[in-house]
Amino acid sequence: MMQRDLLIQFGGHGTPWLREISKYRKEDGFKVFFAALAKGIKTAVEHTGSDLVNPEQIFHWIDNPESAPSPEELYAAPVSLTMIQAVQFAHLHAVRLAGALPILKNRVSILTGHSQGLFPATALSLEWSGMDAMLLLEQYTAFMLALGIRIHEVYPWKTNADVLSRAQENGARQVSPMLVVLGSDEKTVQEILNHFSTNNDNSLELALVNSPANQLVVGHTDELLSFYLYFQQAHAGSQLIFLDASVPFHSTHLKQALHTFLEKDSDLPFPQNTGPTDYAITSFTDEILTPQTDLRKFLSASIATEHLRWSLALAQVPEKRIQTVVDFGPGKVSARLSQENLGEQPLEYFHLAVPREREKFLSKL
């Protein structure tokens, strides 16, 4: 019997999705993939009645990456949520076409995902339990896009001109509702947040603790910009970066959006739960997924309102005697965050979002 020595993980925001998915457009075996993706997008658009997403436009971008629009369009909540997830499913499909998924199933000990990466992680588990892979892609695409549409409806982010002007005057390249703080620990970030919460009625939140020196603060851009400027002065050694994002994911700001989604889109077909497995499916909250976990509620909350602590998803790594981390991207961000959390452990990392590294990994199976 093969040793169960793998941690398989999927990531979240971190790299331009368009560049990665475009590479698959003309590859052998991907016609069925893009057909399922298109069907899922169409289902969500028709179900919600929304004009926020134009499926033909998205596929035009994929076919012609040089025609990519402004970041505001590429990273609008409905588009970015759906397409970053689609990139992960595409990397997964490349491994599926190589015939390696049965081997991975026999070797996986922990299956997880960072941020929206938990979605394809649970989909892979469902595929291993017997569900059709392309049907899962279709349903997960429709689910994620509908959720993104409801988020945008409740939180139609528009940064006012005064905030943009103040950002430029103070040397900020851009401003958004999500700010990464690098080089400071959680305690330091929380202390400054407490200062701002006193004055701003708890509108800023520590949404993600990605690693010991990588935190993400979210909130309204005017207050987040004030936090940015204050933090820069108080801790000159830290680096602060506004993400390309249109809404404050993982925050209480999206409670109404989550409620609207669960109420209005409850009839979208979606798996109830993953069922029993021979491996652990871990998340970034205190909850480990079980056969009873309601996937519809758990996954939508994990994107909209739940704060994320990546170390919780990795807590079982020592006891499971993991030897290899297999990361499906996008890019290398989630793998790097795992390395930062597990730095003292001698693990081998493979970035399956990178073709040459995927080939190297597959050749060793």
Side-chain angles (χ1 to χ4, degrees), residues 12-14 75 77 80-81 84 114-116 151 155 157 159 173-181 204-208 210 215-225 227-228 240-251 253-254 302-304 306-308:
H13 195 294
Y75 290 98
S80 65
L81 278 181
I84 289 172
H114 182 283
S115 193
Q116 64 240 66
I151 287 173
Y155 203 99
W157 185 254
T159 302
R173 184 179 62 85
Q174 65 179 34
V175 63
S176 81
M178 303 188 79
L179 177 68
V180 177
V181 182
L204 298 181
E205 300 177 29
L206 181 58
L208 278 68
N210 289 321
Q215 332 292 328
L216 196 146
V217 180
V218 303
H220 294 297
T221 51
D222 52 348
E223 294 159 0
L224 199 54
L225 178 59
F227 174 90
Y228 169 92
L240 287 80
I241 304 170
F242 284 103
L243 290 182
D244 289 316
S246 62
V247 299
F249 295 108
H250 307 291
S251 75
H253 294 285
L254 301 185
S302 74
I303 284 292
E306 290 291 335
H307 292 172
L308 178 157

Side-chain angles (χ1 to χ4, degrees), residues 6-12 15 20 24 84-96 100-101 104 111-113 117 120-121 124 128 325-335 350-354 358 361-362:
L6 289 184
L7 164 65
I8 298 177
Q9 64 181 41
F10 296 79
T15 193
E20 292 193 13
Y24 289 114
I84 289 172
Q85 176 185 252
V87 167
Q88 297 163 326
F89 272 94
H91 297 321
L92 176 62
H93 190 58
V95 174
R96 180 184 298 113
L101 288 187
L104 296 186
L111 186 59
T112 192
L124 176 55
W128 280 335
V325 177
V326 178
D327 181 72
F328 280 88
K332 297 183 178 182
V333 173
S334 52
F350 288 94
H351 310 97
L352 301 195
V354 181
R358 181 168 64 240
F361 173 73
L362 293 175

Side-chain angles (χ1 to χ4, degrees), residues 255-333:
K255 279 188 175 181
Q256 182 56 50
L258 177 60
H259 174 77
T260 300
F261 171 75
L262 292 174
E263 182 180 76
K264 290 188 175 182
D265 304 305
S266 60
D267 57 340
L268 274 175
F270 197 73
Q272 183 175 352
N273 52 58
T274 60
T277 67
D278 295 328
Y279 44 85
I281 304 176
T282 64
S283 78
F284 45 76
T285 71
D286 289 328
E287 181 175 347
I288 303 297
L289 276 72
T290 70
Q292 289 73 44
T293 300
D294 184 327
L295 284 184
R296 184 184 299 271
K297 290 182 178 180
F298 187 85
L299 291 179
S300 55
S302 74
I303 284 292
T305 58
E306 290 291 335
H307 292 172
L308 178 157
R309 188 175 293 272
W310 187 226
S311 60
L312 293 175
L314 307 173
Q316 295 189 30
V317 168
E319 65 188 78
K320 296 283 188 179
R321 298 182 179 180
I322 299 297
Q323 296 181 17
T324 305
V325 177
V326 178
D327 181 72
F328 280 88
K332 297 183 178 182
V333 173

Side-chain angles (χ1 to χ4, degrees), residues 153-194:
E153 288 174 348
V154 172
Y155 203 99
W157 185 254
K158 295 290 183 182
T159 302
N160 67 51
D162 289 342
V163 174
L164 290 173
S165 177
R166 187 157 64 103
Q168 292 171 359
E169 290 171 1
N170 287 278
R173 184 179 62 85
Q174 65 179 34
V175 63
S176 81
M178 303 188 79
L179 177 68
V180 177
V181 182
L182 303 173
S184 290
D185 60 22
E186 180 182 356
K187 181 181 178 182
T188 300
V189 175
Q190 190 61 60
E191 285 175 352
I192 295 183
L193 272 178
N194 291 341

Side-chain angles (χ1 to χ4, degrees), residues 61-118:
W61 296 339
I62 294 174
D63 289 333
N64 306 278
E66 68 282 357
S67 71
S70 65
E72 287 77 11
E73 291 183 77
L74 283 179
Y75 290 98
V79 175
S80 65
L81 278 181
T82 305
M83 297 311 297
I84 289 172
Q85 176 185 252
V87 167
Q88 297 163 326
F89 272 94
H91 297 321
L92 176 62
H93 190 58
V95 174
R96 180 184 298 113
L97 292 175
L101 288 187
I103 300 174
L104 296 186
K105 180 183 179 182
N106 289 330
R107 286 185 55 185
V108 63
S109 180
I110 301 173
L111 186 59
T112 192
H114 182 283
S115 193
Q116 64 240 66
L118 193 58

